[in-house]
Amino acid sequence: GREEQNFYGCFSSLAGWAPGKTIAAAPPFAALPFGPGFGVVAFSVQTHFTNDDHAEGTVSYDGFRLHYTPNLREHHISSIPIMMLSVNSKIQIPAGKSRWFITRTCKLQALYKPDAAAKLFSIDYHAHLLGREMYNEIHFANGEKTIIGSEPVWH
């Protein structure tokens, strides 16, 4: 169906934000190329509103600006959705567990440029009500590893 196509064939995240988070702007040397030549011909915007107090008559004046240039940047931006907890209907958390762990590994390899470098400029955590804390580690080919990001307290 359409939902499956969006998540497994036609989905690329341009940006995201959650309450309490800073907005990560693209660095000046990179961008997401779009247009027929890059397979991106439209944008879909999802907006999630929360009214925890159930206040009547609440009006949102939120908005966003999408900046673009006709000049391609030196590097292209892409996202690596390692966990995708918020859209994974197969996750089953055992009842009665006070703490339960999920781990995933994503191995990256440059196929056409073996010595290529990647620049990480943002890590985003997205688990809706499933997450309580999240951590990211990077494991290098030489065996070294380091924590590159964490969200120890979920909002």
Side-chain angles (χ1 to χ4, degrees):
R2 183 180 176 108
E3 182 177 328
E4 183 176 324
Q5 181 183 10
N6 285 340
F7 292 125
Y8 299 107
C10 298
F11 181 78
S12 179
S13 178
L14 175 62
W17 176 82
K21 303 296 175 196
T22 56
I23 296 174
F29 56 81
L32 175 71
F34 63 92
F38 296 99
V40 179
V41 295
F43 296 104
S44 173
V45 177
Q46 292 184 16
T47 306
H48 303 262
F49 296 98
T50 303
N51 184 354
D52 291 333
D53 297 329
H54 305 284
E56 291 186 28
T58 301
V59 177
S60 171
Y61 295 99
D62 298 325
F64 71 94
R65 291 185 180 153
L66 179 64
H67 297 272
Y68 68 94
T69 176
N71 305 317
L72 287 177
R73 300 292 171 97
E74 180 183 358
H75 300 285
H76 296 176
I77 291 175
S78 62
S79 60
I80 305 168
I82 297 172
M83 293 294 259
M84 294 297 284
L85 295 178
S86 61
V87 295
N88 189 336
S89 62
K90 296 180 180 171
I91 293 177
Q92 294 184 5
I93 300 172
K97 291 280 188 183
S98 61
R99 203 160 188 216
W100 190 64
F101 297 91
I102 298 173
T103 60
R104 287 284 307 268
T105 301
C106 180
K107 183 176 182 179
L108 302 178
Q109 181 179 3
L111 297 177
Y112 303 108
K113 295 181 179 181
D115 297 328
K119 296 181 180 183
L120 177 68
F121 72 90
S122 176
I123 296 175
D124 302 304
Y125 302 98
H126 193 155
H128 290 237
L129 300 177
L130 289 175
R132 290 292 179 257
E133 57 189 279
M134 293 186 180
Y135 303 89
N136 290 96
E137 287 183 335
I138 187 166
H139 296 241
F140 296 96
N142 65 7
E144 292 182 25
K145 65 180 180 177
T146 185
I147 293 176
I148 57 172
S150 67
E151 185 71 49
V153 178
W154 198 253
H155 302 278

